[in-house]
Every structure is written in C-alpha cells, then in structure tokens.
Amino acid sequence: MDTSTQHGTARVTPVLLVTAVAAAISGFLYGYDTGIISGALLQIGDEFGISRIQEQVITAGILVGAVLGAFAGSKLSERYGRKKTILLVGVVFVLGTLACSVAPTATTLAAARVLLGTAVGAATQTVPMFVAELAPAARRGRLVLSFQLAIGVGILVATLVGASEQLSWRWSIGLAAVPAAVLFTIMLRQPESPRWLVKAGRVDDARATLQRIRGAHADHRDVEDELDHIVGLEREQRKAPAKGWDGLRQPWIRPALVVGCGISLFTQLSGIEMIIYYTPTILTDVGFERSSALQASVALAATYVVMQVVGLAVIDRIGRRRLVLVMIPGAAVALAVLGTVFATGQDTPDTAWLLVTCLIVFMLFNAGGLQLMGWLTGSEVYPLAVRSAGTSAQAMVLWGSNAVLSLTILSMIDAIGEGGAMFVYAAFNVAAWIFIWRVVPELSGRSLEDIEGALRRDSFRPGGV
C-alpha cells in the first residue's frame, strides 16, 4: 500500500494548525535567541570590555548548550514522549532567557547562554519530529517548515530590535521569556504523537489521537489503515536486534544517518551562521558605521524570511532535492564574488553597495534552498525505532559544527582575511551540491513508512525512494 498517496488529500485540521503554531513559536525562539546576539554583542562589548575571543565564547555558549540539549531531548522524548519534552523545553527557555538578561559578568552570561542553548537544542531535536509524526505525508513538508520559517522570523525580529538600539541588550534578550511561556501554555492541550503512543504500547490511545488529528471528516477506514501501518512497522521494530542509539549502527539505517547528518553539517558550512552572527562585526571592521551595519543585518534577515516563505510555498511541489540543487550554485557564486571584493582590497565606501548586495544574494539562494533541508530532512529519514536517536545525532552534528564555526570565524578572518574566509565557505557550498546530487534522494510526497521501506530495501538513494 502506497501511503504517500493514501493520505495525500488530508486536511490541515485545528489540531495540526495549533501544532504548527507551537512549532512556529519554538522556531521563533531558536531564531530570536541565537540571532539577538548579533546586535547585542556591540552593547555587551561596551559594557564588559570583552576581547575577540570572549565575543566568540559568548556567541558559542548557546551552541554548546544546544549540543547537550539535542542529546537530552532524544532521551527524554523517547522515554516520556514528545509532548512532555516540549513542555519542559518551554520551561527551560524561560529560565535560560531570564538568566541571560540578569547576568552580571561576561562569564555568567556565557554560562547562562549554555543553559538557554539546552532548550534550543532539545527543541530542534523534538519539535520537527513531533510535527512530522502528526502530519499526513502531503502536508508534512509545509507543516514542518513552519518551524523553519519561524526561525527566520525570530532572526528578523532580533535584528530589528538590535538595529533600533532602543533597548538595552538585557531587555532585548529577556523579552524572549514571553513567547516561551506561550509555548508552554499551548502545548498543555496538544495530543501526544500517535507513533510514540504505539511504540509505548498504547494502541487505543493512538487510535483516538489519530482520529482527533485527522479530524471528524476523516474516513474511519483510512484512519485504521494508517494505524495498522504504524502498528505493523512497530512490530517489525520490536524484532530488530538494536534500537535507539545502538540501532543507528545497523547497516540498513546508515544511509539515513549519512543523509541527515550530512545535510545538517552543510547547512552550517554553507556560511549562514557567519552571516547571521557576525555581519555587523565584519562590516564595522571594514569601516561601516554601526547603524549602517545593523541595517544591513535587517536586510539580510528580511531576505531570509521572504525566501523561507517562498520555499514553504513551493517545496512540496518542486521537490526538496531539485530545489536545493538549483539554489546552491547561486549562494556559492555570491560568496566567491564577495571574497574577490575583499581579497582585492575593494571593500571601500564606494563599493559598500556591492558588499551588501552579495550578502543579500547569498542569503536569497541559501535561505531559499539548503536551509530548508536541515530540520525537515531530520524529521523524515529515520525509522521509528531510532527516530529520537537519529534526530538527536543530526541536531548534535548541526549544533556542534555551528559551535566550532562560531568559535573560529573571527579568528579565521584575522588569520586569512575576509576574502579568504569567503572563498572557504564558497568551496563548502560546492561540496554541499556534490553531496546532495550524489547521495540525497527525493523525499517529497513520501510517507514516513515509505521512506523506511526504501531503507529496508536498500533503495534509499537518488531515484530509489
């Protein structure tokens, strides 16, 4: 039975809509809490008199915490369920945000950002998986990408707050406690994932939840067929010799791990975090006024959001793989041109327009392409028995690489110059294109069970799913 078409006309019910809202709030918090540091660093530097290395440590603190949170999120969501884990994430978001906003020193601020990062990491591990497990195949891409789109909105709001320079960095960071509290409140009434309920042996609860998610209009037989498919796969999983983290070592699951972790790694190596975190710092270093540098960050964040909206609208029709293969070359060319401008010493007030244009063009192609794949792919490719561990491993790769890059970007620029750094990231984009072309299959329109079936048949490759 091809479940990719069976549930292809499923509607977005109120339960799914509220789930998408919860995902959007989680994504907003991720984007805001990571993006607010871009403009806040200028004020933090003035208050604490920090060095270049300390700037990198404060920036990367949230990323180190995210690695820890991604691992913890896997354990918690597997044992206690997706819903309870997200509720806990909401609480930690509030506590971490408030701790950052009252930090008395640069050291305590970095430590508080580690705490906040655990919420970010757990959210990115659990929320896309939760949405994917509730959504019908035909709607999964758009619903999961509500999380991705909200990341861009969070970054945009954070850059607008920073560019306005109307709030102190303490207030600008502390305001994130409000949506975190809203997330907790919304999740109180949401159902648990029916796939997790089946895994926990609660089949009757899973049936009732699935009927609630699909809505009163849904044919009872379709709901039963979907439940039977989930139950059947769970029976097979129970016979598997290894589950969870041990299960990731099984040869038939390895292709999913390569695709998921590879995509996560390249979303960071593409240069997006360098652009988001350090654009004001880089531009002020080459002579931009602080206000102009912050305004450039706003333009970049707005471009990110616009392209996420465009991607959200077309990705299920065009296909994930095809869209990314079309978009990556534009990002690579933009970085190469930017590197040439810096390397040839043309980064002057007369060429400021060219610098900003290259940054915006890069963001256009990167946000509308590769960035769409990171969290969406992780929510799709892993079989149920290892899904929590797989999404956790993928999130840890993403956040770990993000932390390493954030800790080294400014040092790399000091060592090889802005031009050299741009060339390095342009090369990473070329490598990402090759990886996707050779390794990543097209997953649009396929149910989670279809994808798992392709892994078991050893046909999880381009043209094989």
Side-chain angles (χ1 to χ4, degrees):
M1 178 172 54
D2 184 359
T3 56
S4 66
T5 57
Q6 178 187 356
H7 305 293
T9 58
R11 302 176 188 175
V12 178
T13 60
V15 173
L16 286 176
L17 183 60
V18 175
T19 301
V21 170
I25 295 173
S26 299
F28 175 87
L29 287 166
Y30 161 17
Y32 187 89
D33 287 331
T34 56
I36 195 64
I37 200 65
S38 176
L41 270 179
L42 301 177
Q43 292 186 30
I44 292 168
D46 291 341
E47 179 172 337
F48 293 137
I50 57 178
S51 67
R52 210 58 155 176
I53 292 176
Q54 288 175 307
E55 284 186 20
Q56 292 177 149
V57 170
I58 290 173
T59 301
I62 198 170
L63 310 176
V64 173
V67 175
L68 302 174
F71 179 77
S74 168
K75 298 293 186 181
L76 293 170
S77 64
E78 189 69 14
R79 181 168 183 177
Y80 299 108
R82 301 5 174 175
K83 175 181 176 178
K84 289 181 180 177
T85 302
I86 298 172
L87 286 170
L88 179 61
V89 164
V91 173
V92 179
F93 261 126
V94 172
L95 296 177
T97 297
L98 296 178
C100 287
S101 66
V102 299
T105 67
T107 301
T108 53
L109 174 59
R113 280 177 61 80
V114 172
L115 174 63
L116 180 58
T118 61
V120 172
T124 55
Q125 184 275 331
T126 307
V127 173
M129 175 176 63
F130 176 68
V131 177
E133 290 186 345
L134 264 62
R139 305 292 184 183
R140 189 178 64 243
R142 294 183 184 182
L143 288 171
V144 174
L145 284 176
S146 64
F147 175 82
Q148 182 77 39
L149 173 61
I151 294 172
V153 174
I155 293 170
L156 175 59
V157 172
T159 52
L160 285 169
V161 170
S164 71
E165 300 187 272
Q166 297 301 306
L167 294 175
S168 74
W169 67 267
R170 296 182 184 278
W171 273 102
S172 62
I173 290 175
L175 286 174
V178 176
V182 174
L183 170 64
F184 178 87
T185 303
I186 286 179
M187 283 301 301
L188 286 172
R189 296 182 60 83
Q190 286 302 97
E192 181 54 85
S193 161
R195 287 174 170 86
W196 183 84
L197 290 170
V198 168
K199 188 176 178 66
R202 298 163 55 185
V203 177
D204 289 340
D205 290 340
R207 177 182 291 105
T209 298
L210 198 58
Q211 185 69 59
R212 177 186 170 194
I213 294 168
R214 297 293 175 254
H217 67 278
D219 191 301
H220 178 71
R221 290 170 297 179
D222 287 344
V223 172
E224 285 297 325
D225 286 344
E226 187 174 359
L227 179 63
D228 288 345
H229 206 58
I230 296 170
V231 171
L233 278 176
E234 173 57 19
R235 288 198 186 110
E236 292 182 22
Q237 300 292 352
R238 289 182 185 275
K239 300 175 185 177
K243 305 178 183 66
W245 286 91
D246 290 338
L248 292 178
R249 291 195 288 266
Q250 297 176 89
W252 70 277
I253 291 176
R254 195 171 299 135
L257 192 64
V258 170
V259 167
C261 292
I263 289 289
S264 288
L265 182 62
F266 280 116
T267 58
Q268 305 309 297
L269 293 179
S270 67
I272 186 72
E273 304 304 342
M274 171 189 66
I275 301 301
I276 291 174
Y277 295 156
Y278 293 118
T279 286
T281 301
I282 293 171
L283 292 181
T284 53
D285 283 349
V286 298
F288 274 58
E289 295 292 332
R290 176 185 291 196
S291 59
S292 298
L294 291 171
Q295 288 168 8
S297 288
V298 172
L300 289 171
T303 303
Y304 186 105
V305 172
V306 169
M307 293 311 299
Q308 291 283 292
V309 172
V310 172
L312 187 69
V314 304
I315 193 167
D316 280 328
R317 285 179 288 176
I318 294 178
R320 292 107 157 97
R321 182 175 184 271
R322 183 183 305 169
L323 179 63
V324 175
L325 288 175
V326 168
M327 300 295 277
I328 287 177
V333 170
L335 287 175
V337 172
L338 194 59
T340 302
V341 172
F342 280 118
T344 57
Q346 299 301 308
D347 48 314
T348 66
D350 292 335
T351 60
W353 64 272
L354 181 58
L355 292 174
V356 175
T357 298
C358 286
L359 289 169
I360 290 175
V361 170
F362 163 80
M363 186 64 79
L364 186 151
F365 284 102
N366 188 268
L370 188 56
Q371 295 308 314
L372 294 170
M373 293 284 282
W375 303 117
L376 177 57
T377 302
S379 71
E380 296 179 321
V381 297
Y382 300 108
L384 181 60
V386 298
R387 188 164 296 148
S388 290
T391 54
S392 178
Q394 183 166 334
M396 289 171 72
V397 168
L398 187 146
W399 290 115
S401 59
N402 194 336
V404 171
L405 291 171
S406 298
L407 283 167
T408 58
I409 285 172
L410 295 181
S411 298
M412 181 171 67
I413 289 173
D414 289 342
I416 64 175
E418 287 88 351
M422 299 302 168
F423 288 135
V424 168
Y425 285 111
F428 283 144
N429 277 269
V430 174
W433 191 93
I434 295 171
F435 174 80
I436 291 170
W437 176 60
R438 297 194 61 179
V439 177
V440 180
E442 180 58 72
L443 302 177
S444 295
R446 300 297 181 184
S447 74
L448 301 182
E449 289 71 34
D450 289 335
I451 294 168
E452 180 168 343
L455 285 165
R456 290 182 177 276
R457 296 190 304 270
D458 193 27
S459 61
F460 188 80
R461 62 181 67 91
V465 176

